[in-house]
Amino acid sequence: MASESSDRAGGARPTLPRPVKIVISGGFGAGKTTMVGSLSEIRPLRTEEVLTEASIGVDDLAGLAGKETTTVALDFGRISINPQLVLYLFGTPGQDRFWFMWDELIRGAIGAVVLVDTRRLDAAFAAIDFFEDRQLPFVIAVNSFDDAPHYAANRVRKALDLDPNVSIVVTDARRREDAKTVLVTLLEDTIRKWDREAPRSAEHRPAQRGAGR
Ligand SMILES: Nc1nc2c(ncn2[C@@H]2O[C@H](COP(=O)(O)OP(=O)(O)OP(=O)(O)O)[C@@H](O)[C@H]2O)c(=O)[nH]1
Ligand SMILES: [Mg+2]
């Protein structure tokens, strides 16, 4: 068995995986838990509770007729891109009364996905404002609900008052390949942002910020 010192001398020790934290967010019922579940290679951690009569008049279930549960803390999943790069996915709760958790949930994240349901575009405003305010890169993922109206990306951009550099991707949160495209877009946008802000970039990179905590 090789000792620690001989490992060091040989210089052949494998490097530790670099954890990258990504937040999956959006309004109530936009598909956050579904997306984390589609992407995760491990059984995702979920904190679902049944929607009871107590939610009547509190949670806006318009357009969400079949919705029976809701996330009350977070979703957690993992996806290994390669042995050195592991993405940790943190899904937010969707309801306003859980906003107090969001600052903790985004700590150390490199970027976020904002899932949008075109039947309830306004439900995405709070998440967009939040990430703009924290200057965390984000992409818009328009989730394809069966009866949701389809709008061209420029109309979605206008309706959500998005900066031109925020990407909009149409997705189906239930499909892994779709969800992966969203993540790749986010990673590319984030790297571009780091490159634009080169002198500041080092402090934003996950190794320095303790991502995945
Ligand atoms: N047709 C369709 N249904 C979807 C899609 N994504 C999610 N759903 C369904 O929409 C419902 C809500 O999805 P969730 O993933 O629980 O939404 P959420 O954003 O986590 O909800 P909260 O945690 O309560 O805010 C579920 O019944 C999903 O099966 C999609 O892309 N297409
Ligand atoms: Mg959820």
Side-chain angles (χ1 to χ4, degrees):
M1 195 175 82
S3 70
E4 193 182 347
S5 57
S6 69
D7 279 345
R8 279 196 191 130
R13 291 174 71 187
T15 51
L16 284 172
R18 172 177 295 195
V20 172
K21 178 176 177 179
I22 291 176
V23 173
I24 311 291
S25 74
F28 177 50
K32 303 174 291 295
T33 299
T34 304
M35 181 172 266
V36 173
S38 315
L39 285 167
S40 185
E41 66 197 5
I42 55 168
R43 205 169 103 200
L45 169 76
R46 289 182 173 155
T47 57
E48 294 287 288
E49 290 295 339
V50 176
L51 284 162
T52 63
E53 283 184 7
S55 81
I56 296 170
V58 179
D59 302 324
D60 178 9
L61 286 162
L64 303 174
K67 189 159 173 61
E68 291 176 354
T69 62
T70 188
T71 303
V72 295
L74 79 163
D75 302 301
F76 175 76
R78 190 187 74 196
I79 174 169
S80 304
I81 303 296
N82 62 44
Q84 270 68 53
L85 180 61
V86 180
L87 307 186
Y88 291 98
L89 308 171
F90 286 71
T92 63
Q95 297 167 68
D96 302 352
R97 60 181 176 277
F98 299 123
W99 269 105
F100 67 91
M101 286 184 222
W102 279 52
D103 271 314
E104 281 302 315
L105 275 174
I106 70 156
R107 194 185 294 271
I110 62 150
V113 173
V114 179
L115 275 157
V116 169
D117 176 350
T118 56
R119 298 167 301 180
R120 306 148 59 91
L121 274 176
D122 56 331
F125 283 138
I128 292 168
D129 286 346
F130 181 85
F131 296 125
E132 283 180 349
D133 184 60
R134 272 63 173 185
Q135 297 185 16
L136 192 72
F138 66 93
V139 294
I140 298 293
V142 178
N143 202 4
S144 308
F145 288 91
D146 301 333
D147 53 347
H150 295 279
Y151 299 116
N154 63 337
R155 290 191 66 191
V156 174
R157 185 178 303 284
K158 201 166 171 204
L160 296 176
D161 193 20
L162 296 170
D163 283 349
N165 59 352
V166 174
S167 295
I168 300 174
V169 187
V170 177
T171 194
D172 183 328
R174 298 165 302 180
R175 293 166 50 104
R176 186 158 204 256
E177 287 309 310
D178 273 31
K180 273 166 68 177
T181 303
V182 174
L183 288 191
V184 169
T185 305
L186 174 63
L187 290 172
E188 287 173 350
D189 287 1
T190 302
I191 290 165
R192 259 196 298 276
K193 184 173 189 281
W194 286 342
D195 287 343
R196 278 198 307 272
E197 301 170 358
R200 287 182 52 216
S201 66
E203 74 200 53
H204 283 270
R205 291 187 193 258
Q208 278 75 20
R209 294 194 69 197
R213 279 180 296 169

